[in-house]
Amino acid sequence: MIVRNLGPLDVLSPAEINKIHEISLEVLQKEGIKFHHEEACEVFKKNGARVEGKRVYIPPEMIEKELKNAPATFDMHSRNPERQVTVGGKHTVLAPGYGSPFVMDMETGKRRGSNYQDYVDFTKLVGNSANIDVAGGVLVEPDDVPDEIRHAKMIYTGAKYTDKVLMGSAMGSKKAQDSVDMAAILYGGLDYVQNHPVLVSLINTNSPLQFDGRMTDALMVYARYNQPTIVSSLSMTGTTAPFTIAAALVQQNTEIIAGITLAQLVNPGAPVIYGSASSVVDLKTGNLAIGSPETAKMFGGTAQLARFYEIPSRGGGCLTDALIPDAQSGYESMMIFLTGVSSGFNFMLHSAGLLENYMTMCLEKFILDDEICGMAREYCAGIAVDEDYLGLDTILEVGSGGHFLSTDHTYRHMRELRQPHISERERYMSNAPLPDIVGRAREQCKKILEEYEAPELDPGIEKDLLDFMEKME
Amino acid sequence: MIVRNLGPLDVLSPAEINKIHEISLEVLQKEGIKFHHEEACEVFKKNGARVEGKRVYIPPEMIEKELKNAPATFDMHSRNPERQVTVGGKHTVLAPGYGSPFVMDMETGKRRGSNYQDYVDFTKLVGNSANIDVAGGVLVEPDDVPDEIRHAKMIYTGAKYTDKVLMGSAMGSKKAQDSVDMAAILYGGLDYVQNHPVLVSLINTNSPLQFDGRMTDALMVYARYNQPTIVSSLSMTGTTAPFTIAAALVQQNTEIIAGITLAQLVNPGAPVIYGSASSVVDLKTGNLAIGSPETAKMFGGTAQLARFYEIPSRGGGCLTDALIPDAQSGYESMMIFLTGVSSGFNFMLHSAGLLENYMTMCLEKFILDDEICGMAREYCAGIAVDEDYLGLDTILEVGSGGHFLSTDHTYRHMRELRQPHISERERYMSNAPLPDIVGRAREQCKKILEEYEAPELDPGIEKDLLDFMEKME
């Protein structure tokens, strides 16, 4: 978890934010939004919205009222109280890459389909990381696990190998209910779950201006159980969204506030996160360009809109369009991550591991991104200022032309310097081999995977989780 | 030049900034600061400061009065009016790497001493860049040029191969005067120079709490000619500055405001820039760690202090501790550059080419950094918002479940998308070779150097510059 003692950095004026809000209300009133979900349409209708087929016309008053019900901040719990995180305010909760169908193997230089062993490996890296807070999501698609139990096996794996906050499945009401039931086993009952956010789930809109049945299903299940959902738009400029960033923000906002309104209608006060994975598209190739500055500023607008609604926000991450961990992946990932935290995002999915936009996970990239997360955390911590830190005495003591290597002030404070943020470079020698940062990341990764010790999971609970899964097969 | 339509991002509170200011005044009053320069001491004395030997005790009233004389913003001119830049306000002027004694040759994988041919090559890259504004500085040390004419040859080379703003020599009064005389030849007379900032020069303090004779010399020459100086501290925590960042900021501030006060005493209203190249030190090895988050936040405090004094600021750049252009150099360079512009720096030395903190320049790194500069420029431009950009009509036209590929709105706006910021990655194929971004940068660099056409320089002026240099030999 990053605590931000700086910013936030605004990219839009208050008047511009208000304008985006007003146009969104106009769209929801005039054009409406489609929910491919009968029960959701019923909920809107019952609360006074006009519904025609799957199209819901939401009156501005309903939106404004329901958005106010969403909490500005909430805590998320896990089986280790030390892993508790706060979503909202000055906090940024970090979650790893999510949803990739591929893994990049830098030893062979080949990309391949992902499997359950990859899922376990990435889970161990999450467990080991001092920066990543969340496990159990779709770290990679474990393609060798049958679809019917894949969601359960991911949650089980997150719970077995880590004691961090977990993600739930968004693939329809059955899998959402399974996720909640497993959380109940893990945390000691449905009552506890009902009163403590323990699972966060990613609900994507279906741009433009639609919600599919499966995601809507899951949204409603989680809202009923008081479990947080990230209502998130992946609007792609020029294809599933208008070409201009301002208009893409309008469309994205329209979708998100409609989804959040539904969650609040189902259960007033249900925790939600205002989310975005939106990006510009390179129309020459049709590729997403998620490591671009255009995407960075769109994220800036997203975080600001969420602040306007006083709802926690999600966006950013170590995003890149590069295919391998190289200079491009380094500067793109840092740009999107750093502008994301500076803009004030409260939840960062995709904080470690991704390459090639959202397509590929890579162990070495995870290690390098973890370093970026740590650097951003140190940056956001800000500068400690008190009389001792300001150092008048030591400055007067050393005076002109002296040095501070052996002052008491230096001795007292030098242990605080967090060495991991200092480059580990070797001294340059004319015949030394060139540094190989990817190779070094690989060695580090191997060591972690070999030596990883999972936090103990109560054997009774583990048996209950395994029994629960067995019944599903 | 980057125009910032966002931020700035603050890392300190107004009370903390004020505290740093007050302690700096106390240091200057109690401990004073050494100027190894008789005339400078005389100037302080004449204006009412107590002077003991080389130590000047500056009263708070003098500092506060003189800082108010420094302009908040000024323009810099060159022989092409289109290359004029504004220093201050929402503008960030970009200058390339400065002062490296080494060049990294990525084709051989070896670091070697730099020479005049390197200087010409980097000057051409500066001339070609759409982002870098400043030429003629110490791009690399041309070690094969005799010291007596090196400064003149650098200015001549900048003037011959580019029509951008130039830097002057800070190596004592003779070389500063030579720089001014050459600017007079280039821009049509000393009168013009006296009334137009055309040369910007880097005056470093000698931490802790000293100015050496040579730099003070140059500072005073440039101030008299109304030419901007960057009064800059390179305070290294735990060695030439206190260990804590807050105290290093105090010491740095003390030095900078003393230097700026001298410039204003010499010539009230002389343009100055509040500068820093300060950094934390890894005390395990004694290495600077300029690509660290600690350095990033120290820069943030620096920019904020300059804003407090309403004086343009210098800091940041594409800084890294990495030895080659790799993932580390990518993420460190982006972090320092981006936090620098977000913090509001007005002048960024070291914007392109550096590796291994300030030690090494590299052609491929220059190309990659130029990309970072362009990305930051696009990010800082912010989001265009007007009725058309907000796109209500196109959103209503496409509605739920359609697409924007063929709308008029997309056609009209798609030409605006700046393609360079979109990754040029090839589609992934299972047997394709891995991308080689450094190799691609090398090809790009070779092409630029082969095809570069310098802007025409009036043959009479060129002859006068050459004659001027000949007389020096």
Side-chain angles (χ1 to χ4, degrees):
Chain A
M1 198 164 59
I2 291 176
V3 180
R4 287 172 273 106
N5 290 320
L6 45 75
L9 191 64
D10 286 340
V11 298
L12 291 166
S13 69
E16 289 168 340
I17 289 287
N18 203 53
K19 192 84 193 158
I20 291 173
H21 169 63
E22 280 172 4
I23 298 178
S24 304
L25 294 184
E26 195 174 340
V27 172
L28 286 171
Q29 194 169 24
K30 279 191 183 163
E31 170 68 20
I33 184 165
K34 277 192 185 166
F35 281 86
H36 296 267
H37 194 275
E38 217 168 297
E39 198 190 338
C41 292
E42 277 305 309
V43 169
F44 276 111
K45 200 169 177 178
K46 210 182 68 191
N47 283 276
R50 181 162 63 93
V51 177
E52 288 178 11
K54 294 165 173 173
R55 191 179 298 270
V56 181
Y57 299 87
I58 315 182
E61 314 77 59
M62 183 185 287
I63 297 280
E64 299 205 333
K65 172 167 172 269
E66 297 307 329
L67 291 183
K68 288 210 177 72
N69 284 331
T73 181
F74 55 87
D75 291 338
M76 289 202 66
H77 304 266
S78 68
R79 62 191 174 93
N80 181 348
E82 282 174 26
R83 305 294 192 196
Q84 179 176 326
V85 296
T86 300
V87 181
K90 285 177 167 293
H91 303 87
T92 305
V93 173
L94 305 186
Y98 185 101
S100 290
F102 297 110
V103 160
M104 180 70 199
D105 181 337
M106 285 301 293
E107 255 175 307
T108 63
K110 305 279 179 214
R111 190 183 80 168
R112 59 169 175 74
S114 52
N115 57 44
Y116 181 65
Q117 184 57 48
D118 298 320
Y119 190 89
V120 173
D121 287 348
F122 283 107
T123 299
K124 288 178 178 172
L125 293 190
V126 168
N128 178 73
S129 168
N131 300 300
I132 305 291
D133 304 296
V134 179
V138 189
L139 277 158
V140 288
E141 279 290 347
D143 272 345
D144 49 349
V145 177
D147 184 60
E148 312 82 64
I149 63 157
R150 196 182 287 176
H151 62 295
K153 195 146 184 191
M154 290 192 277
I155 292 176
Y156 165 75
T157 307
K160 177 166 175 58
Y161 289 104
T162 84
D163 52 7
K164 299 193 170 186
V165 166
L166 299 175
M167 293 190 79
S169 172
M171 300 298 179
S173 58
K174 159 82 169 64
K175 291 180 176 175
Q177 185 65 54
D178 286 346
S179 304
V180 170
D181 290 343
M182 289 178 78
I185 295 171
L186 189 59
Y187 300 120
L190 219 48
D191 261 13
Y192 180 89
V193 171
Q194 188 76 46
N195 292 300
H196 297 82
V198 292
L199 288 175
V200 53
S201 303
L202 178 63
I203 307 298
N204 283 309
T205 68
N206 196 348
S207 305
L209 301 182
Q210 296 186 106
F211 279 79
D212 73 15
R214 208 173 45 165
M215 292 278 176
T216 309
D217 239 13
L219 173 72
M220 294 173 75
V221 169
Y222 287 120
R224 277 188 205 107
Y225 284 107
N226 256 321
Q227 295 307 305
T229 47
I230 308 164
V231 182
S232 202
S233 172
L234 200 169
S235 287
M236 301 182 281
T237 59
T239 57
T240 66
F243 187 85
T244 54
I245 292 175
L249 282 171
V250 168
Q251 181 186 292
Q252 169 184 286
N253 188 56
T254 305
E255 294 169 2
I256 298 167
I257 61 177
I260 291 178
T261 296
L262 174 59
Q264 299 307 314
L265 289 174
V266 169
N267 180 9
V272 288
I273 298 171
Y274 182 109
S276 171
S278 295
S279 170
V280 294
V281 170
D282 176 5
L283 288 184
K284 281 191 301 188
T285 61
N287 278 338
L288 280 180
I290 68 175
S292 65
E294 291 85 354
T295 297
K297 55 192 177 182
M298 198 173 348
F299 277 143
T302 302
Q304 228 181 311
L305 279 157
R307 267 202 299 288
F308 170 78
Y309 294 121
E310 297 180 20
I311 293 173
S313 57
R314 170 252 160 158
C318 277
L319 305 187
T320 183
D321 302 304
L323 300 177
I324 58 171
D326 59 9
Q328 182 190 349
S329 84
Y331 61 67
E332 290 183 349
S333 298
M334 179 60 90
M335 174 180 67
I336 301 294
F337 193 88
L338 200 59
T339 55
V341 286
S342 302
S343 297
F345 277 126
N346 301 111
F347 192 97
M348 290 261 233
L349 203 60
H350 308 310
S351 287
L354 279 180
L355 285 172
E356 200 189 357
N357 61 62
Y358 302 117
M359 294 298 280
T360 306
M361 282 290 275
C362 171
L363 293 169
E364 291 88 348
K365 175 73 164 28
F366 190 109
I367 299 290
L368 296 170
D369 288 347
D370 201 20
E371 177 77 12
I372 290 178
C373 296
M375 292 169 80
R377 185 161 71 161
E378 179 65 31
Y379 174 67
C380 290
I383 300 170
V385 178
D386 67 11
E387 207 178 301
D388 182 41
Y389 279 102
L390 284 164
L392 174 61
D393 291 345
T394 191
I395 292 172
L396 293 179
E397 177 195 333
V398 170
S400 304
H403 70 77
F404 294 82
L405 275 164
S406 51
T407 61
D408 277 353
H409 191 263
T410 296
Y411 286 148
R412 263 192 297 117
H413 288 288
M414 64 186 290
R415 277 181 221 92
E416 293 166 21
L417 191 67
R418 269 153 276 202
Q419 297 293 345
H421 303 301
I422 303 291
S423 147
E424 297 270 342
R425 77 188 144 94
E426 295 90 41
R427 197 75 216 116
Y428 193 92
M429 283 175 295
S430 56
N431 289 313
L434 293 182
D436 172 16
I437 189 170
V438 175
R440 202 153 66 191
R442 187 181 311 128
E443 290 313 309
Q444 205 175 325
C445 182
K446 279 184 183 165
K447 195 162 179 293
I448 294 167
L449 296 181
E450 271 166 28
E451 297 176 3
Y452 186 71
E453 285 183 36
E456 210 179 333
L457 177 60
D458 181 286
I461 291 177
E462 184 171 5
K463 188 176 176 301
D464 288 348
L465 288 172
L466 290 169
D467 288 349
F468 181 87
M469 288 202 290
E470 204 166 317
K471 270 183 238 151
M472 295 170 58
E473 286 179 87
Chain B
M1 198 165 58
I2 291 176
V3 181
R4 287 172 274 105
N5 290 319
L6 44 76
L9 190 65
D10 287 340
V11 299
L12 292 167
S13 70
E16 289 168 340
I17 289 288
N18 202 54
K19 192 86 192 153
I20 291 175
H21 168 63
E22 279 171 6
I23 298 178
S24 304
L25 294 183
E26 194 174 341
V27 172
L28 285 171
Q29 194 169 25
K30 279 191 183 162
E31 169 68 20
I33 183 164
K34 276 192 184 164
F35 280 86
H36 295 267
H37 195 277
E38 218 168 296
E39 199 191 338
C41 291
E42 276 306 309
V43 168
F44 276 112
K45 199 169 179 179
K46 212 182 65 189
N47 283 276
R50 180 162 64 94
V51 177
E52 288 179 11
K54 293 168 174 172
R55 193 180 298 269
V56 182
Y57 299 87
I58 316 182
E61 314 78 57
M62 183 185 287
I63 297 280
E64 298 206 332
K65 173 168 170 268
E66 297 307 329
L67 291 182
K68 287 210 177 71
N69 285 330
T73 180
F74 56 87
D75 291 338
M76 289 203 66
H77 304 266
S78 69
R79 62 190 174 94
N80 181 349
E82 283 174 25
R83 306 293 192 198
Q84 180 177 324
V85 295
T86 300
V87 181
K90 283 176 169 292
H91 303 87
T92 306
V93 173
L94 304 187
Y98 185 100
S100 290
F102 296 111
V103 160
M104 180 70 198
D105 181 338
M106 285 301 294
E107 254 174 309
T108 63
K110 304 279 181 216
R111 190 183 80 166
R112 57 168 176 75
S114 51
N115 57 43
Y116 181 65
Q117 184 56 48
D118 297 321
Y119 190 89
V120 173
D121 287 349
F122 283 108
T123 300
K124 288 179 179 174
L125 293 190
V126 168
N128 178 73
S129 168
N131 300 300
I132 304 291
D133 303 296
V134 179
V138 189
L139 277 158
V140 289
E141 281 288 349
D143 271 345
D144 48 350
V145 178
D147 183 60
E148 312 83 65
I149 62 157
R150 198 183 286 175
H151 61 296
K153 196 145 182 190
M154 289 192 278
I155 292 175
Y156 165 75
T157 307
K160 179 166 172 61
Y161 289 104
T162 83
D163 52 6
K164 301 192 169 185
V165 166
L166 298 175
M167 294 190 79
S169 172
M171 299 298 177
S173 59
K174 158 82 170 66
K175 290 181 177 177
Q177 185 65 53
D178 287 345
S179 304
V180 170
D181 291 343
M182 289 179 79
I185 294 171
L186 188 60
Y187 300 121
L190 219 48
D191 262 14
Y192 180 89
V193 171
Q194 189 73 49
N195 293 298
H196 297 81
V198 292
L199 288 175
V200 55
S201 302
L202 178 63
I203 308 297
N204 283 310
T205 69
N206 196 348
S207 306
L209 301 180
Q210 298 186 106
F211 278 79
D212 74 16
R214 208 172 44 163
M215 292 277 178
T216 309
D217 240 13
L219 173 72
M220 294 174 75
V221 170
Y222 287 120
R224 278 189 203 107
Y225 284 107
N226 256 320
Q227 296 306 307
T229 46
I230 307 165
V231 182
S232 202
S233 172
L234 201 169
S235 288
M236 302 183 282
T237 59
T239 57
T240 67
F243 188 84
T244 53
I245 291 175
L249 281 172
V250 168
Q251 181 186 291
Q252 168 184 286
N253 187 56
T254 305
E255 296 169 0
I256 299 167
I257 63 179
I260 290 177
T261 295
L262 175 59
Q264 300 306 316
L265 289 173
V266 169
N267 179 11
V272 289
I273 297 171
Y274 182 109
S276 171
S278 296
S279 171
V280 294
V281 170
D282 175 6
L283 288 184
K284 281 190 302 186
T285 62
N287 278 337
L288 281 180
I290 67 174
S292 65
E294 290 85 354
T295 298
K297 56 192 178 184
M298 199 175 345
F299 277 143
T302 303
Q304 227 181 313
L305 279 157
R307 266 202 301 288
F308 170 76
Y309 294 121
E310 296 179 19
I311 293 175
S313 57
R314 171 251 159 159
C318 277
L319 305 186
T320 182
D321 302 305
L323 301 177
I324 58 170
D326 59 8
Q328 182 189 350
S329 84
Y331 62 67
E332 290 183 350
S333 298
M334 178 59 91
M335 175 181 66
I336 301 294
F337 193 89
L338 200 60
T339 55
V341 288
S342 301
S343 298
F345 277 127
N346 301 113
F347 191 97
M348 289 261 232
L349 204 60
H350 307 310
S351 289
L354 281 179
L355 284 172
E356 200 188 358
N357 60 61
Y358 302 119
M359 295 297 279
T360 306
M361 282 288 277
C362 172
L363 293 169
E364 291 87 347
K365 175 74 165 28
F366 190 108
I367 299 289
L368 296 171
D369 288 347
D370 200 21
E371 176 78 12
I372 290 178
C373 295
M375 291 169 80
R377 185 161 72 161
E378 179 65 31
Y379 174 67
C380 291
I383 299 170
V385 178
D386 67 11
E387 208 178 301
D388 182 40
Y389 278 101
L390 285 164
L392 175 61
D393 292 345
T394 192
I395 292 172
L396 294 180
E397 177 195 332
V398 170
S400 305
H403 70 77
F404 294 80
L405 275 164
S406 52
T407 61
D408 277 353
H409 191 262
T410 296
Y411 285 148
R412 264 192 296 117
H413 289 289
M414 63 186 290
R415 274 180 224 94
E416 293 165 22
L417 191 66
R418 268 153 277 203
Q419 295 293 343
H421 302 302
I422 301 292
S423 147
E424 297 269 342
R425 78 188 142 93
E426 296 89 40
R427 197 76 216 115
Y428 194 91
M429 284 175 296
S430 56
N431 289 313
L434 293 181
D436 172 16
I437 189 170
V438 175
R440 202 154 66 191
R442 186 180 312 126
E443 291 312 310
Q444 204 176 326
C445 183
K446 279 185 183 165
K447 196 163 179 294
I448 293 167
L449 296 181
E450 272 167 28
E451 297 176 3
Y452 186 71
E453 285 184 35
E456 211 179 333
L457 177 61
D458 180 284
I461 291 176
E462 185 171 6
K463 186 174 177 302
D464 289 348
L465 288 171
L466 291 168
D467 287 350
F468 181 88
M469 288 201 291
E470 204 166 315
K471 269 181 240 153
M472 295 170 58
E473 286 178 85

